[in-house]
């Protein structure tokens, strides 16, 4: 039974959202420990009417902990996740470090909750469950019910990713840039490759040898692992000046045609999905309206004019919640 929980990286944007979600969903725990780097030790945060002080992330911090929700960065997870497991904890890791490890299940509960037991040593696991990339999570939640109608062969996706994907500092920089523009001051550019305010940046993470970015390759590789499929996913990932909701435009090709009516019915009945598709009344998902939402919202469903087996649609989800913290807590709830 999970009684003692630790949030590693508790002071970051995702760590703070984990704290909120554990309280909002009344996650059944007895003790909660907040862990962070030395510069954050001693900070206090509210949880269920109590003040919790941040403690230092160190090996001894994991003694007696049953579950670690990790969002402190890949290098921190690399060092401390195995130590937490040695102390008897299960680690749900929100970084990229373990995602493609064959001995670590990569889980979106609405899609492949059946993979969760693979974390156990007796099943060949390392005691760790990986949280996928935010854009992949949102996409596969929407793909799952459509794939059940007809196998998806190919996905082309353009993402419109908010500043929150770069963490709390990314959101702060976007706000700062708009303020500096209004005040006629030089614009601060530190977190992103270019000014994000009033701009789009077709560059998230570093470029690889094939000229796709690591973010784009994550969508290719992670989708296959989660869906247990040979589906091919070609992505263009773009940073936009939305604050914390990611959007995606998708073109999918299935083995057999799927009608718009079938697709709408499947999305409407799908787990973790909300259908918002009323073009006659300007009804479609938008990031401005969906901050703080748990579901992935889908609209603009239509036949692909360039492919008789193709379907196009648009989705929006809160990057910090379903794209990160909520997915991790949902994994923990399954545990």
């Amino acid at each position: 039974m999970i009684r003692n929980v630790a949030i590693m990286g508790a002071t970051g944007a995702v760590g703070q959202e984990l704290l909120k979600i554990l309280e909002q969903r009344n996650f059944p725990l007895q003790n909660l420990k907040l862990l962070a780097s030395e510069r954050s030790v001693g900070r206090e945060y509210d949880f269920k009417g109590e003040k919790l002080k941040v403690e230092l992330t160190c090996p001894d911090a994991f003694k007696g902990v049953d579950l670690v929700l990790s969002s402190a960065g890949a290098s921190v997870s690399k060092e401390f996740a195995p130590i937490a497991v040695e102390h008897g904890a299960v680690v749900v890791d929100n970084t990229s470090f373990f995602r493609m490890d064959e001995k670590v299940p990569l889980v979106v509960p609405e899609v492949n909750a059946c993979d969760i037991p693979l974390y156990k040593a007796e099943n060949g696991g390392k005691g760790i469950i990986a949280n996928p990339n935010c854009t992949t999570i949102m996409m596969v939640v929407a793909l799952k019910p459509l794939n059940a109608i007809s196998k998806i062969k190919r996905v082309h996706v353009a993402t419109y990713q908010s500043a929150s994907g770069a963490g709390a500092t990314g959101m702060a920089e976007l706000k700062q840039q708009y303020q500096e523009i209004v005040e006629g001051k030089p614009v601060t550019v530190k977190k992103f490759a270019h000014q994000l305010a009033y701009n789009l940046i077709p560059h998230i993470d570093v470029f690889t040898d094939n000229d796709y970015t690591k973010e784009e390759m994550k969508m290719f590789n992670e989708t296959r692992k989660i869906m247990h499929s040979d589906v091919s996913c070609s992505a263009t990932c773009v940073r936009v000046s939305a604050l914390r909701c990611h959007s995606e435009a998708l073109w999918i090709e299935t083995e057999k045609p799927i009608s718009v009516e079938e697709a709408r019915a499947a999305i409407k009945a799908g787990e973790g999905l909300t259908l918002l598709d009323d073009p006659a009344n300007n009804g479609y998902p938008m990031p401005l309206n969906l901050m703080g939402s748990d579901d992935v919202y889908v609209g603009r469903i239509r036949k692909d004019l360039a492919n008789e087996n193709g379907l196009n649609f648009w989705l929006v989800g809160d990057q910090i919640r379903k794209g990160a913290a909520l997915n991790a807590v949902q994994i923990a709830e399954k545990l």
Side-chain angles (χ1 to χ4, degrees):
M1 182 180 292
I2 293 173
R3 291 189 174 91
N4 303 312
V5 177
I7 299 175
M8 186 162 66
T11 60
V14 175
Q16 287 295 289
E17 201 70 22
L18 284 167
L19 191 64
K20 293 178 185 176
I21 291 171
L22 289 173
E23 181 166 352
Q24 290 168 353
R25 295 172 76 90
N26 197 27
F27 187 85
L29 58 84
Q30 290 183 357
N31 300 292
L32 179 62
K33 182 179 289 190
L34 307 183
L35 303 177
S37 63
E38 189 172 0
R39 67 177 179 273
S40 298
V41 171
R43 291 187 190 177
E44 290 187 340
Y45 294 96
D46 292 323
F47 182 73
K48 293 187 174 181
E50 297 183 12
K51 294 283 187 181
L52 300 181
K53 282 190 175 183
V54 175
E55 302 175 37
L56 179 66
T57 303
C58 65
D60 287 346
F62 301 103
K63 291 180 178 178
V65 173
D66 303 307
L67 170 70
V68 176
L69 301 173
S70 171
S71 62
S75 61
V76 178
S77 288
K78 177 184 178 181
E79 179 179 0
F80 288 105
I83 294 173
V85 173
E86 287 177 6
H87 282 292
V90 180
V91 177
V92 180
D93 184 49
N94 196 53
T95 76
S96 61
F97 187 78
F98 294 101
R99 288 175 185 159
M100 298 311 298
D101 189 319
E102 292 181 357
K103 295 183 178 181
V104 175
L106 184 66
V107 174
V108 178
E110 297 91 339
V111 181
N112 64 327
C114 59
D115 287 345
I116 289 176
L118 298 177
Y119 82 88
K120 297 179 180 179
E122 59 263 36
N123 295 329
K126 293 183 174 181
I128 299 167
I129 302 168
N131 219 36
N133 189 46
C134 48
T135 48
T136 307
I137 290 173
M138 297 173 193
M139 182 174 73
V140 297
V141 170
L143 294 182
K144 173 68 183 300
L146 301 174
N147 191 66
I149 300 173
S150 178
K151 181 183 176 182
I152 297 170
K153 297 169 60 179
R154 296 180 184 86
V155 177
H156 291 86
V157 57
T159 70
Y160 304 79
Q161 297 179 223
S162 61
S164 63
T169 55
M171 292 188 286
E173 183 165 304
L174 178 60
K175 293 177 181 178
Q176 180 181 357
Q177 287 179 353
Y178 277 120
Q179 186 65 36
E180 289 168 342
I181 290 168
V182 169
E183 295 175 356
K185 297 178 179 178
V187 175
T188 300
V189 179
K190 293 181 180 178
K191 190 66 178 180
F192 304 106
H194 304 277
Q195 175 183 318
L196 184 57
Y198 296 121
N199 196 18
L200 305 173
I201 306 174
H203 172 193
I204 299 175
D205 213 323
V206 299
F207 285 97
T208 65
D209 291 342
N210 64 2
D211 289 335
Y212 282 79
T213 65
K214 284 181 68 176
E215 185 84 355
E216 292 157 354
M217 292 309 300
K218 289 173 191 175
M219 298 191 75
F220 179 89
N221 293 314
E222 292 179 18
T223 300
R224 288 185 163 201
K225 183 174 180 179
I226 296 163
M227 296 185 69
H228 300 285
S229 170
D230 60 357
V231 59
S232 294
C233 177
S234 183
T236 299
C237 294
V238 183
R239 186 75 69 193
V240 301
S241 56
L243 193 61
R244 62 174 281 172
C245 281
H246 286 358
S247 305
E248 302 179 22
L250 288 109
W251 298 258
I252 68 170
E253 179 185 349
T254 52
E255 288 186 345
K256 299 177 181 179
I258 298 176
S259 70
V260 171
E261 292 73 24
E262 286 177 309
R264 284 176 175 157
I267 294 294
K268 188 174 183 179
E271 186 181 358
L273 293 166
T274 294
L275 179 69
L276 179 53
D277 193 14
D278 185 13
N281 294 298
N282 300 330
Y284 32 72
M286 293 185 293
L288 181 65
N289 302 331
L290 296 177
M291 290 187 287
S293 299
D294 286 348
D295 277 4
V296 175
Y297 283 68
V298 179
R300 296 297 318 279
I301 300 173
R302 60 207 187 278
K303 293 295 291 182
D304 190 335
L305 298 179
N307 187 333
E308 65 180 14
N309 285 9
L311 201 67
N312 302 347
F313 58 94
W314 169 262
L315 65 81
V316 176
D318 187 307
Q319 181 270 332
I320 301 178
R321 289 187 74 88
K322 184 54 187 169
L326 175 63
N327 196 76
V329 173
Q330 288 173 316
I331 292 171
E333 289 172 342
K334 294 289 186 182
L335 287 169

